[in-house]
Amino acid sequence: DAGVIQSPRHEVTEMGQEVTLRCKPISGHNSLFWYRQTMMRGLELLIYFNNNVPIDDSGMPEDRFSAKMPNASFSTLKIQPSEPRDSAVYFCASSLRQHSYNEQFFGPGTRLTVL
Amino acid sequence: AQKITQTQPGMFVQEKEAVTLDCTYDTSDPSYGLFWYKQPSSGEMIFLIYQGSYDQQNATEGRYSLNFQKARKSANLVISASQLGDSAMYFCAMREGRGDYKLSFGAGTTVTVRA
């Protein structure tokens, strides 16, 4: 079975450029989460979706960040314009929201470097 | 306030010995779940074990067990018979409530297994 798929795995861009990170959750999962991991702040939840609907975006740092989930098999996290402080590893995770034991399965992450 | 506290930034353990990773949590919700994830140097997040707040017994999963002390609000991970492949960062996480499935993560503990 394919796990959570993220692309690209690595992204290097210059300040001011638009960055789009992509995620394909595990088939059948109905919850999707975007996290950011940095040395300073650890793992932070940015936003999560249930059945393609954004439920909680309180972790999104600012208006430069936006996330969409147009269908059950695809989500994007966009940063426009990007800044050096956005450099981090961005993880996408999915789970089946069925019962309390709903482990989240993580993708391999996208390592973003903004110069 | 921190919801999850992991006080050990790094630990060394001898191969074949057991190691305990501390995790304390803070919540006023009677329904919650506690998770442990492993992050090896390759970066992926691997789910290890889960403990629900109403579970009567401590969770076990192979060489992983969770020492759940509800009154003390602690959920320590015990890794028995450590192997070199156990060297990684370990994260404790909590889900609060029945309707909200987002996770709050601790800062993590780095474990290094020595041969």
Side-chain angles (χ1 to χ4, degrees):
Chain A
D1 286 344
V4 175
I5 299 172
Q6 290 187 247
S7 65
R9 293 293 308 276
H10 302 272
E11 177 81 27
V12 180
T13 190
E14 292 187 345
M15 183 173 62
Q17 296 298 306
E18 177 180 294
V19 175
T20 300
L21 310 181
R22 296 173 177 79
C23 175
K24 177 178 170 56
I26 292 173
S27 178
H29 282 189
N30 55 6
S31 293
L32 184 138
F33 306 80
W34 281 101
Y35 291 91
R36 177 172 68 175
Q37 185 177 33
T38 61
M39 289 292 292
M40 291 296 294
R41 300 175 67 91
L43 263 163
E44 306 172 276
L45 177 68
L46 300 177
I47 186 171
Y48 80 98
F49 297 83
N50 280 334
N51 296 319
N52 313 337
V53 176
I55 301 300
D56 186 344
D57 66 353
S58 59
M60 295 286 263
E62 47 197 275
D63 292 345
R64 297 185 297 107
F65 285 70
S66 63
K68 294 182 180 179
M69 193 165 185
N71 56 61
S73 59
F74 184 65
S75 177
T76 60
L77 177 68
K78 186 176 292 186
I79 309 172
Q80 165 64 19
S82 58
E83 297 182 2
R85 60 191 168 124
D86 302 331
S87 297
V89 178
Y90 291 81
F91 286 102
C92 175
S94 71
S95 69
L96 180 60
R97 185 181 177 182
Q98 189 173 40
H99 44 67
S100 60
Y101 185 153
N102 62 324
E103 67 191 82
Q104 294 181 16
F105 293 83
F106 281 72
T110 295
R111 183 173 294 277
L112 173 66
T113 302
V114 183
L115 303 173
Chain B
Q2 287 285 343
K3 291 179 183 272
I4 294 287
T5 302
Q6 294 180 255
T7 58
Q8 306 151 310
M11 299 184 70
F12 290 93
V13 60
Q14 204 64 31
E15 196 177 11
K16 299 181 185 177
E17 292 186 350
V19 61
T20 298
L21 309 184
D22 295 341
C23 172
T24 57
Y25 58 92
D26 183 26
T27 181
S28 57
D29 199 312
S31 176
Y32 54 89
L34 297 155
F35 300 75
W36 278 92
Y37 282 83
K38 172 184 178 182
Q39 187 177 39
S41 57
S42 52
E44 72 270 31
M45 295 285 288
I46 303 167
F47 166 75
L48 296 178
I49 195 167
Y50 166 83
Q51 180 84 43
S53 59
Y54 296 117
D55 292 344
Q56 295 297 314
Q57 293 186 327
N58 286 343
T60 60
E61 200 69 53
R63 294 187 298 110
Y64 304 107
S65 60
L66 205 150
N67 184 1
F68 183 44
Q69 298 188 43
K70 197 169 182 177
R72 298 178 63 181
K73 293 189 174 180
S74 74
N76 299 339
L77 177 71
V78 180
I79 305 173
S80 62
S82 297
Q83 302 172 356
L84 295 178
D86 295 333
S87 294
M89 179 84 98
Y90 290 81
F91 291 94
C92 181
M94 178 174 65
R95 167 199 55 76
E96 294 176 273
R98 292 187 179 275
D100 194 355
Y101 288 80
K102 63 183 181 181
L103 296 179
S104 299
F105 282 84
T109 296
T110 299
V111 172
T112 303
V113 181
R114 289 170 165 161

